[in-house]
Amino acid sequence: FLNDFWDEATKADRNLLVHSITLEGPLNQQNKRNLLLFPPRKEELTDDQYVAVILRNFLSHAFRRPATDAEISRYAGLARAQRKAKQSLEDSMRPAFEAAMISPQFLFRELHAVYSLEKPGTILQVPDLSLASRMSYFLWSSAPDDSTLSMAANKQLRPLLTEEVDRMIRSPKSAALIDRFFAQWLQYQDAEFIPIDSRLYPSTVASMRGHMIRETREFCEDMLKNNLPVTRLIDADYTFVNETLARHYKIPDVQGGEFRKVKLPDPTRRGILTHASILAVTSNPNRTSPVKRGKWVLETLLDAAPPPPPPNVPSLPASNNGIHSASLRAQLELHRKDPACASCHKLMDGIGFAFEGYDVDGSRRSGPDIDTRGNLASGEMVDSPAALARIISTKRADDFHRAFAVKMLTFALGRGLDYYDKPAVDKIVAHAAKNNYTLHSYIHATIYSYPFQHYRR
């Protein structure tokens, strides 16, 4: 570089080090548009024939099924009627593209048109092409690719369903399952924008919040790639950190900005329960919250959300300087003396106290006023997230696995579950149990489940 500098006398040296270079292209937007929307044109095709080729390609992708000749003719007529003088053929297609993208066929994954003559309320098998969309939006949060659509159109999707699901899981597009399902279920992405008092917790700057989220995302992505048991979420003795986050956690011998898998030296730090992202989203801006942390465990990991608080119940007083753990415990004990509050807080507080050894930013804390002991509603005493994890993975294992099945099926269907979905949840858990409760076994069982394979007219 022209600005390189070296001073022999002072040994002063200046160099420019390039960390990374990102190229975006192509710069020719016409070529980019052609690549996405316009297939190669054979010389012998007339304009009308080429328009039909364009629309068959576009509409089949937009509607996630083969476009019919009637649809192609209708959209071609619209483009022809709207074409201006001296306008290129490619530019004249814009009205047709716009019309397709405001069509219900594009905006909704509807099924009623397929079974339009059936009586309302009839339970019907999801058609092959619609099943392709269900699978793709579940695993990829996007429309199915040409391979899946072709299999569905040729009635090969169901006979080869297991192999196709495995292919979709292996695809890089399956990262959407982490960014949609796991992120929404565990709520770790909220660590990016939740309010935290930066005076009390200066470590929660934007860059550190990004590291917190990245840790949990890398952890979940590793589960998906390596088909690990879902119990790793609560009992793993490893995590994913870079040097900055490792220093925050006081994990030695980690250097560099790249995230990598490391063993956890702290025996009380286990699974996502002690990830900084989870601890932050279950805290208040200026102090930890045993109530929020207990509620998160019940609601997220056990699908046993406590009822909402009764009206006109005052919240705990705020503090500009945080609240000591001992005084917070005393306030919660007073809160539980109110019969209207006791029933719910008995469920949540004991779980939440087990997390008191971890601050809002996920760092360890200790001192004479830190009491991590908590009594669960079932009578057991826990004093750390690791102790809580042992109970969940043993005595409450059935509840945990059933909760995971409920959360995944809810996400896959895009609706809440009802009483008639209970047998399907039972079968999902039973299938996962035969396969060591691996993540892939839950995915396969969800896709094979009766609610996923059928719908109500």
Side-chain angles (χ1 to χ4, degrees), residues 292-311:
K292 286 184 177 180
R293 289 174 173 178
K295 181 176 182 291
W296 182 88
V297 170
L298 290 172
E299 190 172 64
T300 305
L301 302 182
L302 300 174
D303 193 34

Side-chain angles (χ1 to χ4, degrees), residues 38 57 116 121 134 138 176 192 218 230 381 391 427 448 457:
F38 302 104
N57 174 68
S116 59
R134 279 196 171 190
F138 169 34
E192 180 181 359
E218 292 272 347
V230 297
M381 194 276 286
I391 290 178
K427 289 183 178 180
Y448 273 100
R457 173 72 171 88

Side-chain angles (χ1 to χ4, degrees), residues 379-391:
E380 296 101 332
M381 194 276 286
V382 293
D383 59 0
S384 70
L388 179 64
R390 284 193 293 272
I391 290 178

Side-chain angles (χ1 to χ4, degrees), residues 202-259:
S203 63
T204 56
V205 294
S207 59
M208 177 60 87
R209 293 188 187 210
H211 296 325
M212 294 174 179
I213 294 171
R214 177 79 178 273
E215 174 191 18
T216 311
R217 190 192 183 285
E218 292 272 347
F219 184 96
C220 295
E221 188 172 39
D222 178 68
M223 284 185 55
L224 180 63
K225 285 182 178 179
N226 295 302
N227 192 24
L228 301 178
V230 297
T231 47
R232 291 293 177 272
L233 287 164
I234 54 174
D235 65 10
D237 61 353
Y238 60 86
T239 190
F240 291 79
V241 295
N242 61 1
E243 182 177 357
T244 303
L245 196 57
R247 192 183 311 118
H248 183 66
Y249 286 160
K250 293 182 170 52
I251 298 175
D253 304 324
V254 177
Q255 297 180 344
E258 294 297 319
F259 275 72

Side-chain angles (χ1 to χ4, degrees), residues 57-283:
N57 174 68
F58 181 81
L59 296 177
S60 296
H61 283 90
F63 296 165
R64 301 170 293 279
R65 57 170 174 75
T68 65
D69 291 340
E71 289 169 332
I72 292 170
S73 177
R74 185 167 69 252
Y75 282 94
L78 174 64
R80 187 167 49 250
Q82 296 289 324
R83 188 172 183 178
K84 301 175 183 177
K86 298 183 180 181
Q87 189 179 32
S88 70
L89 178 65
E90 288 81 1
D91 288 340
S92 73
M93 298 303 300
R94 184 181 183 116
F97 293 152
E98 290 177 343
M101 294 179 72
I102 61 172
S103 164
Q105 302 283 336
F106 174 76
L107 296 174
F108 299 98
R109 287 185 282 150
E110 53 82 30
L111 299 172
H112 294 330
V114 181
Y115 293 124
S116 59
L117 300 180
E118 300 289 344
K119 293 181 180 180
T122 306
I123 304 298
L124 302 158
Q125 187 180 59
V126 172
D128 287 42
L129 286 163
S130 297
L131 178 62
S133 285
R134 279 196 171 190
M135 291 168 53
S136 185
Y137 281 100
F138 169 34
L139 297 176
W140 292 351
S141 295
S142 182
D145 61 12
D146 290 342
S147 174
T148 308
L149 285 174
S150 176
M151 291 178 66
N154 294 313
K155 304 296 182 183
Q156 292 298 308
L157 182 57
R158 279 192 165 89
L160 299 173
L161 190 58
T162 298
E163 293 83 353
E164 182 63 4
V165 172
D166 284 334
R167 182 189 74 85
M168 295 178 75
I169 292 173
R170 290 193 302 269
S171 167
K173 293 182 181 180
S174 65
L177 191 65
I178 307 302
D179 296 327
R180 299 294 186 271
F181 170 62
F182 280 97
Q184 292 178 28
W185 170 46
L186 301 175
Q187 305 157 46
Y188 65 81
Q189 81 280 4
D190 294 352
E192 180 181 359
F193 53 81
I194 57 170
I196 300 177
D197 192 330
S198 58
R199 295 171 301 172
L200 293 173
Y201 305 101
S203 63
T204 56
V205 294
S207 59
M208 177 60 87
R209 293 188 187 210
H211 296 325
M212 294 174 179
I213 294 171
R214 177 79 178 273
E215 174 191 18
T216 311
R217 190 192 183 285
E218 292 272 347
F219 184 96
C220 295
E221 188 172 39
D222 178 68
M223 284 185 55
L224 180 63
K225 285 182 178 179
N226 295 302
N227 192 24
L228 301 178
V230 297
T231 47
R232 291 293 177 272
L233 287 164
I234 54 174
D235 65 10
D237 61 353
Y238 60 86
T239 190
F240 291 79
V241 295
N242 61 1
E243 182 177 357
T244 303
L245 196 57
R247 192 183 311 118
H248 183 66
Y249 286 160
K250 293 182 170 52
I251 298 175
D253 304 324
V254 177
Q255 297 180 344
E258 294 297 319
F259 275 72
R260 79 292 309 264
K261 185 176 181 179
V262 299
K263 293 282 285 186
L264 291 171
D266 183 352
T268 65
R269 192 183 282 278
R270 287 291 179 268
I272 61 168
L273 294 176
T274 50
H275 282 198
S277 62
I278 303 300
L279 294 167
V281 299
T282 54
S283 297

